[in-house]
Amino acid sequence: MSMDGKVVIITGASRGIGRATARLLASRGASVVINYATNTQAAEAVEGEIKAAGGKALAVQASVLSPDDVQRLVARTIEAFGRIDVLVNNAGASFTQGTFLDTSWDSFAADVTNELKATYLVTRAVLPLMIAQRYGRIVVVGSGTDRQVIPGMLSHGTAKAALATFAHHLSYEPARHGVTINMVVPGFTETEATANQPAALKEHLARMTPLGRVALPDDVARVIAFYASDDSGFITAAHTPVDGGRSS
């Protein structure tokens, strides 16, 4: 699954699944744009690691919830590498954890809106360029909470389910222009974002998983890399769980 000559934007790439994906795609020859919101040190560390290994990378600060920032992200990518072949919509919005009765409408609506907005804005900025060049790979990173219940994640699961429907419907429009849109759906994954979850929850989820453990970022990155490559050229609108068989 060579990525030689391909230019990739990965949102939320300073840590976790995004960081693992950036490293993997760069190792396969891609020029990688490491988008991040606030953690400059972490993003520059990923950029430095890729360059030290002989790869091409550029860290770009931009909030995926800001239309102006998104336009700047796209402009910086074109300026540095000349084109955009792959977009990995990995950045997700923060969400309110709690039961339904503890959740206000305003916080619930904000969680769902921001999750969709984070993918909508970047996809809307990049898709016309891909259509014009008649080539593109868009990968949307979702969550197993779109179909499986985890207590306290009502707004998160609702937001991810809406994101899955968005990606599925959107895949139809650019397909005849050589652009595919697929969704990768991790189960619980060991990242910085999940480090504060109770050990008992992680142990429970591992026991409930046929393969006997929770996911690591590299497990998810390898599936993203498939959908970012030409090996997946005749697949679009896929919804692929990466959860060790838990959703089977």
Side-chain angles (χ1 to χ4, degrees):
M1 290 187 286
S2 171
M3 295 293 294
D4 285 345
K6 297 294 193 292
V7 177
V8 182
I9 294 176
I10 304 172
T11 66
S14 66
R15 64 179 188 168
I17 292 170
R19 176 175 60 197
T21 303
R23 290 169 172 168
L24 179 58
L25 295 184
S27 75
R28 294 182 178 179
S31 299
V32 177
V33 174
I34 302 154
N35 162 252
Y36 68 99
T38 58
N39 197 336
T40 301
Q41 183 177 3
E44 290 181 348
V46 179
E47 177 185 3
E49 181 181 347
I50 290 171
K51 288 181 174 178
K56 297 179 181 179
L58 174 68
V60 178
Q61 188 283 324
S63 168
V64 292
L65 299 178
S66 164
D68 290 343
D69 277 17
V70 167
Q71 291 300 324
R72 179 168 50 79
L73 170 64
V74 171
R76 287 288 305 280
T77 303
I78 297 295
E79 179 184 3
F81 299 120
R83 58 187 287 126
I84 300 170
D85 299 294
V86 179
L87 169 63
V88 180
N89 283 303
N90 171 69
S94 60
F95 64 96
T96 305
Q97 192 164 350
T99 67
F100 174 70
L101 294 180
D102 292 331
T103 304
S104 71
W105 168 251
D106 287 344
S107 66
F108 181 83
D111 288 345
V112 175
T113 299
N114 287 337
E115 187 69 41
L116 289 170
K117 189 176 184 181
T119 292
Y120 179 96
L121 289 180
V122 190
T123 303
R124 184 64 181 81
V126 166
L127 188 55
L129 304 176
M130 292 180 171
I131 289 174
Q133 67 194 19
R134 299 195 64 78
Y135 180 92
R137 301 282 181 267
I138 297 175
V139 185
V140 179
V141 180
S143 167
T145 59
D146 68 353
R147 298 184 181 183
Q148 298 171 1
V149 174
I150 296 179
M153 293 193 175
L154 173 66
S155 64
H156 183 261
T158 304
K160 293 297 187 179
L163 184 63
T165 299
F166 170 79
H168 185 74
H169 281 264
L170 180 62
S171 65
Y172 178 83
E173 296 183 26
R176 293 190 180 276
H177 301 281
V179 181
T180 65
I181 300 175
N182 292 293
M183 192 162 194
V184 174
V185 188
F188 187 95
T189 306
E190 287 275 14
T191 68
E192 296 90 339
T194 61
N196 62 347
Q197 295 296 323
L201 173 62
K202 299 176 187 179
E203 292 166 3
H204 169 73
L205 293 173
R207 287 195 302 270
M208 295 293 291
T209 301
L211 287 179
R213 64 174 176 86
V214 298
L216 300 175
D218 285 341
D219 295 320
V220 184
R222 284 189 284 268
V223 182
I224 294 172
F226 169 69
Y227 283 121
S229 76
D230 288 341
D231 285 20
S232 65
F234 201 62
I235 303 173
T236 195
H239 180 282
T240 304
V242 187
D243 60 6
R246 186 164 182 261
S247 60
S248 60

